Amino acid sequence: MSRILVIAEHDGSTLNASIAKTVACAAQIENAEIDVLVLADAAGPIAAEAASLASVSRVLTIESESNAHPLAALLAPQIVAAAQNYTHVFGPSTTFGKDLMPRVAALLGVNQISDIMSVAGSHEFKRPIYAGNVVVTLSAPADVIVVATVRTASYKAVATGNSAPIESISVDADLPTHTRFVDAQAGSSDRPDLQTAAVVVAGGRALGSVENFDLIYTLADKLGAGVGASRAAVDAGYVANELQVGQTGKIIAPDLYIAIGISGAIQHLTGIKDAGTIVAINKDEEAPIFEVADIGLAGDLFTVVPELTEALG
Amino acid sequence: MDKILVGLKRVVDYNVRVRVKSDGSGVETDGVKMSINPFDEIALEEALRIKESGGASEIVVVSVGTSEAQQQLRTGLAMGADRAILITTDDAPDVLSCARALLEIVNREDPGLVIVGKQAIDDDNAQTGQMLAALWGRPQATCASKIELDGDKAIITREIDVGMERIEIDLPAVVTADLRLNEPRYVKLPDIMKAKKKPLDEIAFAELGVEAGPQIAHSSYEPPSERDKGVMVDDVQGLVTSLKDRGLL
Ligand SMILES: Cc1cc2nc3c(=O)[nH]c(=O)nc-3n(C[C@H](O)[C@H](O)[C@H](O)COP(=O)(O)OP(=O)(O)OC[C@H]3O[C@@H](n4cnc5c(N)ncnc54)[C@H](O)[C@@H]3O)c2cc1C
Ligand SMILES: Nc1ncnc2c1ncn2[C@@H]1O[C@H](COP(=O)(O)O)[C@@H](O)[C@H]1O
């Protein structure tokens, strides 16, 4: 039997949507018992959310003021202590999980698997490398703990409605004082979250300015969509960094992705491979984005996008 | 501080579309253009800027790889690094072993700061910096878009999923470079000549006495599943109809 510990990502009050997907991956391992570990200042509502996820056996909480912000250097030793009786420790391959899980693995003296995209057995997994150009099958040794991150775009969230027991635990771990949280600046937006939105409208370098990016926002708002961008648009300062989609930004899987003025570099495409339908609007008929688009429209975005927004009424 | 150590990995250039070998045993890298991992150029650029503003006195670049990684280290020296260390090994070590080897160099060199890339674009692991920090027992600041040094501390601005975060860390520490930390400089021809005279030491991986981590076996490589070929529509009306047909509007 596999005993899997999933590390909960949260913002201090709600569970991150990536966790229901991480649990979905864990649940693909046969004969697995899945516990979720919530490290927080006050775990209450977060633990309750985790307990509602299907396939979860137990929710464990470690509450302390030092867990108010997710600092890997402080969380890792506690996770190592809590992971002793587990065969697997999983986290989401979000910035949180990518920051944390290698530190956990190194403290446990094992290698870590990044971005599990499918489960072939309790110790056999597939993951993408080379910006998604290659898929490799990995087998982890059976005699040591498996530490991994889960590529959340490859999984659908498990259902809710469960009521797993919640237990507060304490661990014996030395917490360093060398790392301190200062502050965080969250991009304020009423739009759906890029990583969970069913529809995403994304703009690229072709938008040309902060002002022109309003075309993207207006269309997104018509569709109730989240907004994304290419690296070029972020680097040029048209939008904030958290909107970047791709190899080094966010990997997303909306039902509908509309790429506007984006050429379709491999680094961008790897972020949208799992989208249900990809629409591309680009004035260059030869743009590589058309090779992956389900629906392509060759045209100037400055006429096409306002027309489309209009047509949606 | 005295010294900044920068990790440089030799990787397939980001413009190359890699292919799986026909027998599925690996990735075709013969005759393919190799470069410094783009994030490592950013890491090195940051170290150079810190040195140029008086924040450090020596920049050491280090690579774990085959002797061919000399090329990338020479490029690093041409960018402005003072010294290079190549830890030679014929087979690519696992990340934990690589981090252990880097720790050996850290122990020998005693840097005030280690900067590596946020991820290597070949394996897309995004692990080495965090593992090194853990083994070293020092702070880590991943995905840095700004480094502000302040004596024996630093404030690091990190790119996180919801925006930006700032953390304060004591030095020494490991920082991993994100895309927007800086824009790396171009190497000039005279610098390439000068770099030939800079020291590049080679140490055999085996001589470091590093214990190999528990190995994860790579059993097969395959191309990703392709998306089906789509349709082109002529105008906005066609697009709207097509979206409606798919039940997306
Ligand atoms: C290490 C590394 C990591 C990277 N990570 C990422 C990543 O995570 N995400 C990412 O997106 N990129 C990433 N990149 C960058 C990537 O290689 C491309 O440079 C980038 O995606 C290009 O963005 P773009 O398509 O907006 O710009 P461009 O490639 O310049 O494309 C602009 C497109 O707009 C079209 N266009 C111009 N004017 C109009 C108009 N009026 N109407 C319609 N179309 C028009 C053009 O035909 C063109 O196709 C990375 C690169 C490196 C080296
Ligand atoms: N073989 C290596 N030699 C030197 N530095 C490396 C090596 N492997 C990884 N690194 C550093 O660690 C960063 C993250 O790599 P990775 O964890 O493989 O994604 C890279 O950007 C490099 O700076």
Side-chain angles (χ1 to χ4, degrees):
Chain A
M1 194 185 84
S2 298
R3 297 200 62 212
I4 306 176
L5 187 64
V6 171
I7 310 304
E9 174 173 2
H10 60 83
D11 61 4
S13 53
T14 54
L15 188 69
N16 190 281
S18 62
I19 300 307
K21 299 178 180 183
T22 307
V23 168
C25 171
Q28 292 206 327
I29 295 178
E30 266 176 50
N31 213 349
E33 192 175 285
I34 302 167
D35 292 351
V36 177
L37 176 62
V38 181
L39 300 116
D41 183 4
I46 307 160
E49 263 189 88
S52 75
L53 298 178
S55 307
V56 170
S57 298
R58 280 191 312 166
V59 176
L60 308 175
T61 63
I62 302 178
E63 297 186 287
S64 93
E65 231 172 274
S66 55
N67 289 341
H69 302 288
L71 297 169
L74 277 72
L75 299 182
Q78 301 175 69
I79 293 167
V80 166
Q84 289 312 319
N85 295 316
Y86 289 87
T87 56
H88 300 64
V89 188
F90 280 6
S93 74
T94 54
T95 303
F96 164 83
K98 286 186 196 163
D99 183 45
L100 175 62
M101 301 309 280
R103 192 161 182 122
V104 170
L107 293 179
L108 287 165
V110 297
N111 270 298
Q112 189 232 282
I113 297 173
S114 297
D115 307 314
I116 292 178
M117 61 188 287
S118 82
V119 171
S122 67
H123 288 71
E124 195 167 80
F125 308 96
K126 288 188 185 208
R127 64 167 300 241
I129 56 175
Y130 288 95
N133 270 320
V134 178
V135 174
V136 60
T137 303
L138 303 173
S139 338
D143 55 346
V144 294
I145 189 164
V146 177
V147 181
T149 60
V150 173
R151 184 177 182 277
T152 50
S154 300
Y155 292 91
K156 294 246 176 294
V158 291
T160 53
N162 188 7
S163 50
I166 300 171
E167 259 172 61
S168 158
I169 63 166
S170 61
V171 290
D172 196 10
D174 266 342
L175 301 193
T177 55
H178 55 47
T179 305
R180 298 167 293 272
F181 176 81
V182 178
D183 55 19
Q185 224 183 36
S188 57
S189 164
D190 303 333
R191 293 189 181 84
D193 175 53
L194 173 58
Q195 264 162 316
T196 46
V199 181
V200 170
V201 180
R205 192 197 308 272
L207 270 299
S209 70
V210 176
E211 294 72 35
N212 288 346
F213 220 86
D214 277 343
L215 287 171
I216 302 291
Y217 293 126
T218 313
L219 175 58
D221 290 346
K222 270 272 162 68
L223 290 163
V227 170
S230 70
R231 172 187 173 185
V234 176
D235 282 2
Y238 307 158
V239 293
N241 63 282
E242 65 266 23
L243 298 194
Q244 183 175 320
V245 172
Q247 182 186 20
T248 53
K250 288 183 173 136
I251 310 281
I252 58 173
D255 299 332
L256 173 61
Y257 184 77
I258 307 181
I260 299 173
I262 293 178
S263 60
I266 185 74
Q267 292 88 3
H268 187 78
L269 298 184
T270 192
I272 57 170
K273 278 203 171 125
D274 296 291
T277 297
I278 297 176
V279 171
I281 298 171
N282 195 304
K283 73 173 181 194
D284 173 10
E285 280 170 43
E286 305 287 311
I289 188 81
F290 289 126
E291 285 164 34
V292 299
D294 300 287
I295 310 171
L297 174 52
D300 188 326
L301 77 89
F302 294 105
T303 50
V304 169
V305 175
E307 242 186 87
L308 176 59
T309 309
E310 182 74 31
L312 295 173
Chain B
M1 76 185 79
D2 242 15
K3 207 183 281 181
I4 301 178
L5 201 69
V6 176
L8 294 190
K9 187 176 188 193
R10 172 185 165 90
V11 298
V12 171
D13 188 81
Y14 81 98
N15 274 314
V16 174
R17 207 172 188 138
V18 300
R19 306 220 178 280
V20 175
K21 284 185 185 159
S22 51
D23 63 357
S25 65
V27 172
E28 201 62 74
T29 52
D30 281 354
V32 158
K33 183 179 178 207
M34 303 295 286
S35 300
I36 299 179
N37 181 41
F39 289 98
D40 303 356
E41 279 180 6
I42 298 172
L44 176 54
E45 176 64 36
E46 195 65 15
L48 295 172
R49 289 185 191 186
I50 292 171
K51 184 184 168 193
E52 284 157 5
S53 64
S57 46
E58 191 186 27
I59 310 301
V60 180
V61 285
V62 53
S63 191
V64 179
T66 62
S67 58
E68 289 169 305
Q70 279 187 9
Q71 291 163 17
Q72 282 64 42
L73 289 173
R74 285 285 170 210
T75 307
L77 292 170
M79 276 179 74
D82 299 293
R83 197 150 64 74
I85 301 172
L86 174 56
I87 304 171
T88 51
T89 159
D90 283 339
D91 23 45
D94 58 281
V95 183
L96 182 61
S97 304
C98 184
R100 284 175 173 160
L102 292 174
L103 179 66
E104 268 303 309
I105 303 303
V106 162
N107 287 337
R108 292 178 189 194
E109 298 284 341
D110 195 24
L113 183 64
V114 177
I115 314 181
V116 298
K118 105 168 172 180
Q119 80 193 58
I121 60 161
D122 48 5
D123 291 332
D124 284 329
N125 275 323
Q127 300 174 5
T128 310
Q130 299 88 306
M131 286 208 170
L132 173 60
L135 300 173
W136 193 13
R138 297 303 307 167
Q140 69 184 48
T142 53
C143 308
S145 63
K146 193 172 181 191
I147 299 179
E148 295 166 277
L149 294 175
D150 176 17
D152 56 1
K153 294 198 248 318
I155 303 254
I156 313 291
T157 305
R158 303 181 53 225
E159 293 199 1
I160 56 170
D161 288 343
V162 295
M164 302 280 199
E165 170 187 271
R166 291 193 306 162
I167 62 173
E168 186 183 61
I169 54 176
D170 294 341
L171 301 177
V174 179
V175 174
T176 80
D178 211 323
L179 290 172
R180 281 163 286 274
L181 186 56
N182 59 52
E183 229 176 278
R185 66 195 65 189
Y186 287 103
V187 175
K188 294 190 227 57
L189 198 58
D191 297 328
I192 296 174
M193 301 312 288
K194 263 191 269 172
K196 291 192 172 141
K197 299 204 191 73
K198 291 184 180 177
L200 191 163
D201 292 327
E202 290 196 24
I203 307 173
F205 188 93
E207 273 169 34
L208 290 176
V210 165
E211 192 195 334
Q215 301 295 307
I216 292 171
H218 295 50
S219 48
S220 73
Y221 295 77
E222 59 195 300
S225 53
E226 296 285 334
R227 293 183 70 96
D228 292 335
K229 186 92 191 102
V231 296
M232 292 298 285
V233 294
D234 295 330
D235 50 22
V236 167
Q237 202 44 54
L239 175 56
V240 170
T241 309
S242 198
L243 286 171
K244 280 190 178 145
D245 287 348
R246 289 164 178 261
L248 289 164
L249 284 182

